[in-house]
């Protein structure tokens, strides 16, 4: 019986996949993340999570403390990143499926040819021996390619982590600047309030002092306006930096998805080659049964098969 899945596990896994990949999680990806569970329960909880995500996005769209220009830029970047990531993932999936289908057809054709060759004569036996060596060579190349893919995937993961750290540092610097600017604005507002009270209470006796205070207030207002313009410029620069980091992260994720597809394709090819080698070994044993020399060759091939399986398992 399929065990029921806790809501907290499904939603936690959904947020983790969404934050790490920038893509909406699927039911299959969540079940792989939490190690199984009920497909129906996972689908139901995933639907609730998507509603919560929509509410969160709606809340972010109505934040009063964010300038409209900065908000629109962030929404545009976010939507574009999601669209690009989904297109890249779908393209890689279609390509991988096509390659798997082609390799399956090629594998079926190879098995048929091998069985026909075994039924002919000792010449076919020699030919199978040569094909076996070629398969071993291809298997070795696939293992090397798989190791290379794993190494490059680790390098890409490190680069993505570094980019994420840089983006976090930029966000912290942006927050610090906003706090400093807000503190300056608050200080200027307090000074203006004091000046206005002084003008109201001493207007009759200190007319000249009031005029001086008004002049100083104008200067303070001009300074506040200049600071506001400077703040707008800084916010524009911060938006540009965030856009650049988002594009860099999108490119790194696209490259990581391509390498992941290549690794999966190489693993599938290794499994196919192992199946071909086992089938060739069985056919060869049936063809040369009754001969002492054939039994010796069959035993040698079984020993070689075990060695190859051990190498694949160790790899």
């Amino acid at each position: 019986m399929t065990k029921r899945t806790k809501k907290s596990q499904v939603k936690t896994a959904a947020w983790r996949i969404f934050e790490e990949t920038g893509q909406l999680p699927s039911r299959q990806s969540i079940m792989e993340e939490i190690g199984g569970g009920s497909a129906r329960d996972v689908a139901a909880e995933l639907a609730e999570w998507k509603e919560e995500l929509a509410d969160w996005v709606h809340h972010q769209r109505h934040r009063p403390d964010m300038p409209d220009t900065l908000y629109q830029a962030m929404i545009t970047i976010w939507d574009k990143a999601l669209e690009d990531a989904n297109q890249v993932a779908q393209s890689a999936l279609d390509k991988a499926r096509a390659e798997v289908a082609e390799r399956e057809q090629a594998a079926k054709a190879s098995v048929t040819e091998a069985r026909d060759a075994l039924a002919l004569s000792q010449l076919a036996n020699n030919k199978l021996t040569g094909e076996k060596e070629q398969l071993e060579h291809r298997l070795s190349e696939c293992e090397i390619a798989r190791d290379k893919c794993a190494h490059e995937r680790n390098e890409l993961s490190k680069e993505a982590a570094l980019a994420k750290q840089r983006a976090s540092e930029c966000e912290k610097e942006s927050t610090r600047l906003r706090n400093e600017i807000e503190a300056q604005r608050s200080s200027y507002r307090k000074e203006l309030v004091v000046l206005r009270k002084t003008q109201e209470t001493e207007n009759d006796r200190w007319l000249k002092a009031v005029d001086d205070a008004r002049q100083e207030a104008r200067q303070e207002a001009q300074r506040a306006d200049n600071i506001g313009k400077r703040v707008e410029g800084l916010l524009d620069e911060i938006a540009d930096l965030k856009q650049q980091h988002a594009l860099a992260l999108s490119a790194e994720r696209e490259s990581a998805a391509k390498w992941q597809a290549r690794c999966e394709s190489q693993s599938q090819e290794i499994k196919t080659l192992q199946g071909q080698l086992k089938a060739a070994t069985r056919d060869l044993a049936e063809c040369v049964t009754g001969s002492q020399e054939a039994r010796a060759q069959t035993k040698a091939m079984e020993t070689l098969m075990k060695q190859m399986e051990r190498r694949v398992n160790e790899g």
Side-chain angles (χ1 to χ4, degrees):
M1 181 179 294
T2 304
K3 63 180 181 180
R4 299 186 60 85
T5 307
K6 293 184 178 178
K7 292 185 177 180
S8 59
Q9 292 181 343
V10 174
K11 294 183 178 180
T12 300
W15 279 114
R16 182 162 53 250
I17 294 172
F18 181 75
E19 292 174 356
E20 292 178 356
T21 65
Q23 300 179 8
L24 292 176
S26 64
R27 182 181 62 184
Q28 183 64 28
S29 62
I30 289 180
M31 292 181 68
E32 292 176 357
E33 180 72 17
I34 65 177
S38 171
R40 183 176 61 183
D41 293 343
V42 170
E45 300 306 328
L46 181 59
E48 291 185 7
W49 176 84
K50 288 182 178 179
E51 292 178 359
E52 294 178 2
L53 178 63
D55 294 339
W56 179 81
V57 172
H58 178 74
H59 175 71
Q60 295 297 319
R61 290 178 180 233
H62 294 81
R63 288 182 58 184
D65 58 339
M66 182 180 294
D68 291 340
T69 56
L70 176 58
Y71 163 73
Q72 292 297 335
M74 291 177 63
I75 290 300
T76 301
I77 292 171
W78 177 251
D79 293 342
K80 185 63 170 61
L82 286 178
E83 181 181 356
D84 292 344
N86 289 333
Q87 290 178 356
V88 169
Q90 186 62 40
S91 176
L93 181 59
D94 294 341
K95 184 177 180 181
R97 287 175 176 172
E99 290 180 355
V100 169
E102 291 177 358
R103 293 181 182 277
E104 286 180 352
Q105 293 297 328
K108 291 179 180 179
S110 297
V111 170
T112 302
E113 292 176 359
R115 288 176 177 174
D116 293 340
L118 283 172
L120 294 177
S121 63
Q122 185 62 34
L123 180 61
N125 182 26
N126 295 334
K127 182 179 178 181
L128 283 175
T129 302
E131 289 180 355
K132 184 191 70 174
E133 294 177 353
Q134 292 178 0
L135 290 175
E136 291 176 352
H137 179 68
R138 290 178 61 188
L139 180 60
S140 178
E141 291 179 347
C142 289
E143 291 177 348
I144 295 173
R146 182 189 62 186
D147 295 339
K148 183 178 180 181
C149 287
H151 176 72
E152 293 179 353
R153 181 176 58 187
N154 292 334
E155 293 297 327
L156 287 174
S157 298
K158 292 179 181 178
E159 293 178 1
L162 181 59
K164 185 176 181 180
Q165 181 180 1
R166 291 176 178 172
S168 176
E169 292 176 354
C170 289
E171 182 66 23
K172 291 180 180 179
E173 181 65 16
S174 172
T175 302
R176 186 184 66 81
L177 289 174
R178 285 199 297 266
N179 292 336
E180 291 182 357
I181 292 169
E182 185 61 28
Q184 291 179 359
R185 284 182 173 178
S186 177
S187 176
Y188 292 148
R189 291 193 190 101
K190 290 180 181 178
E191 292 179 2
L192 287 173
V193 170
V194 173
L195 290 174
R196 287 171 182 171
K197 288 183 179 180
T198 302
Q199 290 173 3
E200 292 175 357
T201 56
E202 298 182 357
N203 184 49
D204 294 335
R205 294 181 58 190
W206 305 101
L207 183 59
K208 187 177 182 302
V210 168
D211 293 337
D212 294 339
R214 286 177 179 174
Q215 183 65 27
E216 184 176 355
R218 293 190 190 97
Q219 294 175 356
E220 293 294 337
Q222 183 64 33
R223 288 174 58 190
D225 184 62
N226 293 336
I227 290 175
K229 293 179 179 179
R230 181 183 174 190
V231 169
E232 293 178 357
L234 291 173
L235 293 175
D236 291 339
E237 293 178 1
I238 291 170
D240 292 339
L241 287 174
K242 288 185 176 180
Q243 184 176 7
Q244 293 174 5
H245 284 296
L247 292 175
L249 286 174
S250 177
E252 290 172 355
R253 288 170 180 166
E254 180 180 356
S255 178
K258 290 180 179 179
W259 279 112
Q260 180 66 27
R262 287 181 58 187
C263 290
E264 292 177 356
S265 177
Q266 293 295 337
S267 297
Q268 184 64 31
E269 184 176 357
I270 288 173
K271 293 179 181 179
T272 302
L273 292 174
Q274 289 176 346
Q276 294 177 9
L277 188 56
K278 288 181 179 179
T281 302
R282 288 196 303 269
D283 293 340
L284 180 59
E286 293 175 0
C287 180
V288 297
T289 301
S291 172
Q292 183 66 29
E293 181 180 356
R295 287 197 296 271
Q297 292 178 354
T298 301
K299 184 176 181 180
M301 290 188 66
E302 290 177 352
T303 302
L304 181 59
M305 184 64 189
K306 291 180 180 179
Q307 293 176 354
M308 290 184 63
E309 289 179 352
R310 185 165 55 252
R311 288 173 55 194
V312 171
N313 293 331
E314 291 176 354

